[in-house]
Amino acid sequence: MKIKEVVDALERFAPLPLQESFDNAGLQVGLTEAEVSGALLCLDVTEKVVDEAVALGCNLIVSHHPLIFHPLKRIVYADDVQRAVAKALKNDITVVSMHTNMDNAHGGVNFKIAGKMGLKGCRFFAPKTVDGIEGGSGVIGQLPEQMAADDFVIMLKRTFDVECVQCNQLLRRPIKSIAVCGGAGSFLLHDAIAEKADAFVTGEMHYHEYFGHEQEIQIAVIGHYQSEQFTNEIFKEIIEKQCKGVKAYLTKANTNPIIYL
């Protein structure tokens, strides 16, 4: 099977038209006509991840975050992106990224997050239709049973293996309806409130965005990497189902640049 066929399978699941205007999803580095020797699946592409692909004999890396997000004017090994690009090219490794198109796809990143929490009846909120393709930036669903706010936070810490959850004032009512947006999702907070969600789970929010929502909605920010860490599982499921015989590996590299001390 050619690399192109694997990329096509991924893009059928998360069509590129669903990506946001600021994004750079799709082919990042390399060619797609070669026969695929294996696919390494990750959140971020770093030199360490490229080395891992080489060691595994993979000539394809599928990432969530684009390796090339801002335009490159030169490749002179001056920063981590340039070095990763150069190393991929030197080793004939193709890099493909499924970013906001995977965020916005049905069954994509936010559905995966919701699934990890055991949410039921999940659907898009803030939906959109692009070129006849239905998508949405956020997902809302229901917990199987309502939870107290402190128990909800403990569940998030356990489910996503996070050291801490940044919250506003804990709700003094049960939590049942959960709105989800992985990564930097604060732009959907007011949509979550409009949906009458009890809680909003995302990866990043700015300080001032927490103000004014006490006892209106439970804000729970679990970290950008932590919220999206299971995205490579989606890639693996697609490849194993649609690309029989292609070896797909979940990276063993933790590329989160943030540490908690």
Side-chain angles (χ1 to χ4, degrees), residues 1 31 87 133 144 147 188 199 201 208 212 226 229 242 261:
M1 180 171 286
L31 304 175
K87 184 167 284 190
I133 306 165
M147 302 178 71
L188 282 181
V201 178
H208 291 285
Q226 290 89 340
Q229 63 184 298
Q242 301 293 330
L261 301 176

Side-chain angles (χ1 to χ4, degrees), residues 114 119-123 125 139-143 176-180:
L119 301 188
K120 306 297 182 183
C122 294
R123 60 174 174 82
F125 72 100
V139 165
I140 190 167
Q142 309 291 317
L143 288 167
K176 178 76 171 177
S177 178
I178 315 297
V180 177

Side-chain angles (χ1 to χ4, degrees), residues 27 38 43 85 92 94 96 113 131 149 165 209-211 213 223-224:
L27 181 64
L43 194 64
V85 168
D92 295 320
T94 297
V96 174
I113 296 168
D131 296 341
V165 178
E209 293 170 322
Y210 289 81
F211 282 99
H213 303 295
H224 195 125

Side-chain angles (χ1 to χ4, degrees), residues 148-259:
D150 54 350
D151 290 332
F152 177 67
V153 172
I154 291 170
M155 180 272 286
L156 291 176
K157 293 180 70 173
R158 180 177 65 250
T159 300
F160 297 95
D161 191 26
V162 298
E163 291 85 348
C164 66
V165 178
Q166 292 181 306
C167 301
N168 62 343
Q169 184 184 83
L170 293 184
L171 279 186
R172 294 191 289 271
R173 69 171 191 270
I175 291 175
K176 178 76 171 177
S177 178
I178 315 297
V180 177
C181 182
S186 61
F187 67 98
L188 282 181
L189 175 60
H190 290 284
D191 294 278
I193 293 169
E195 289 281 349
K196 301 188 184 305
D198 297 313
F200 178 58
V201 178
T202 189
E204 288 183 40
M205 278 184 56
H206 293 295
Y207 173 82
H208 291 285
E209 293 170 322
Y210 289 81
F211 282 99
H213 303 295
E214 296 80 10
Q215 299 309 309
E216 181 179 39
I217 190 169
Q218 183 66 66
I219 296 170
V221 179
I222 61 175
H224 195 125
Y225 177 92
Q226 290 89 340
S227 70
E228 297 180 332
Q229 63 184 298
F230 303 113
T231 303
N232 54 13
E233 294 180 7
I234 306 173
F235 301 151
K236 194 170 194 292
E237 291 161 7
I238 295 168
I239 292 171
E240 288 181 343
K241 183 177 180 180
Q242 301 293 330
C243 308
K244 301 296 185 183
V246 174
K247 295 179 180 179
Y249 304 89
L250 303 180
T251 182
K252 295 181 179 179
N254 183 329
T255 56
N256 189 1
I258 301 170
I259 61 174

Side-chain angles (χ1 to χ4, degrees), residues 9 30 41 43 58 72 74 85 91 98 108 111 138 145 166 197 249:
L41 317 174
L43 194 64
C58 296
L72 294 177
R74 60 187 64 83
V85 168
N91 289 281
M98 300 281 113
F111 283 90
E145 297 180 359
Q166 292 181 306
Y249 304 89

Side-chain angles (χ1 to χ4, degrees), residues 23-25 28 42-45 62-69 95-100 103 183-184 204 224-225 228 231 235 255:
D23 202 7
N24 186 41
Q28 306 284 297
C42 61
L43 194 64
D44 308 285
V45 183
V62 181
S63 70
H64 182 45
H65 296 141
L67 171 57
I68 304 174
F69 191 75
V95 179
V96 174
S97 300
M98 300 281 113
H99 191 212
T100 53
D103 290 331
E204 288 183 40
H224 195 125
Y225 177 92
E228 297 180 332
T231 303
F235 301 151
T255 56

